[in-house]
Amino acid sequence: MNSLIPPFPAGRLQQLGYVVENLDDAVEQFSTTFGIPRFFVWKNLAADITEKTFRGKSADFQFSCAFGYSGDMMVELIQHHSGESIFQEWLDKKGPGLHHVCFLMSSLEQFDATVGQMAAHGHPVAMSGRSGDARFSYADTVERYGVFTELAYGPPEFLAAFDRIKAGDF
């Protein structure tokens, strides 16, 4: 069988990401409709992101996020604020809704290799960035799968913050 995307060895599906028009309204809606008990809201999250790219060029996008959990699955809500990004592009073309799935890589080496493999399989980087030692990269898998595929790597201290969010310790 010829795979259109590479396998994700040791990568795990960690998140469903939704682009929304209003973060506060979306938090209320997702809490009420889907029973997600709490969200950690991170306003202007992209302010501290470096090495930002959009469609192969340096970028200066801004967005805010809310992170919640349904069981072990993280639900991310994203509100675009400014600059060119795949979030604004999505809103312009499709409106609010499910935008990406995220696979968490176990090492920086695995992250780099998987980003390269995705591009080699015809799924180039649509947007990327860095926060300290953490990395994210969105592979453009929209035509094939209907959503972007985010690849992420975070060192243990970064991932510990998500464990605290899951536990409601924020």
Side-chain angles (χ1 to χ4, degrees):
M1 179 175 175
N2 185 7
S3 176
L4 294 174
I5 63 172
F8 294 95
R12 68 177 169 92
L13 182 60
Q14 182 241 5
Q15 175 192 94
L16 300 175
Y18 293 82
V19 175
V20 302
E21 292 177 330
N22 181 293
L23 194 59
D24 294 330
D25 290 348
V27 165
E28 178 66 29
Q29 179 185 5
F30 274 70
S31 294
T32 302
T33 304
F34 297 115
I36 298 172
R38 61 193 163 268
F39 280 90
F40 174 78
V41 177
W42 192 343
K43 298 283 186 175
N44 300 315
L45 179 147
D48 295 326
I49 294 174
T50 60
E51 301 176 26
K52 298 176 187 179
T53 69
F54 171 71
R55 303 279 180 204
K57 298 178 183 173
S58 181
D60 188 20
F61 45 78
Q62 185 54 260
F63 59 89
S64 294
C65 292
F67 300 98
Y69 279 86
S70 179
D72 289 331
M73 181 63 63
M74 178 189 285
V75 175
E76 178 184 27
L77 307 175
I78 308 127
Q79 180 182 341
H80 173 87
H81 294 303
S82 63
E84 290 185 303
S85 76
I86 58 173
F87 308 133
Q88 186 62 54
E89 183 180 82
W90 188 271
L91 284 170
D92 291 344
K93 291 179 181 177
K94 298 181 182 251
L98 181 62
H99 175 266
H100 68 265
V101 295
C102 177
F103 286 87
L104 185 61
M105 301 290 112
S106 60
S107 69
L108 187 54
E109 294 77 20
Q110 183 193 27
F111 171 84
D112 289 338
T114 306
V115 168
Q117 290 170 351
M118 294 291 286
H121 280 79
H123 304 292
V125 173
M127 191 170 100
S128 65
R130 176 180 182 161
S131 180
D133 290 332
R135 309 279 197 292
F136 68 87
S137 179
Y138 291 88
D140 192 342
T141 56
V142 175
E143 186 175 317
R144 176 73 179 150
Y145 297 105
V147 294
F148 287 95
T149 300
E150 180 182 11
L151 306 172
Y153 167 74
E157 60 275 11
F158 184 86
L159 298 178
F162 288 121
D163 289 338
R164 289 192 300 277
I165 291 169
K166 184 177 179 183
D169 184 19
F170 55 87

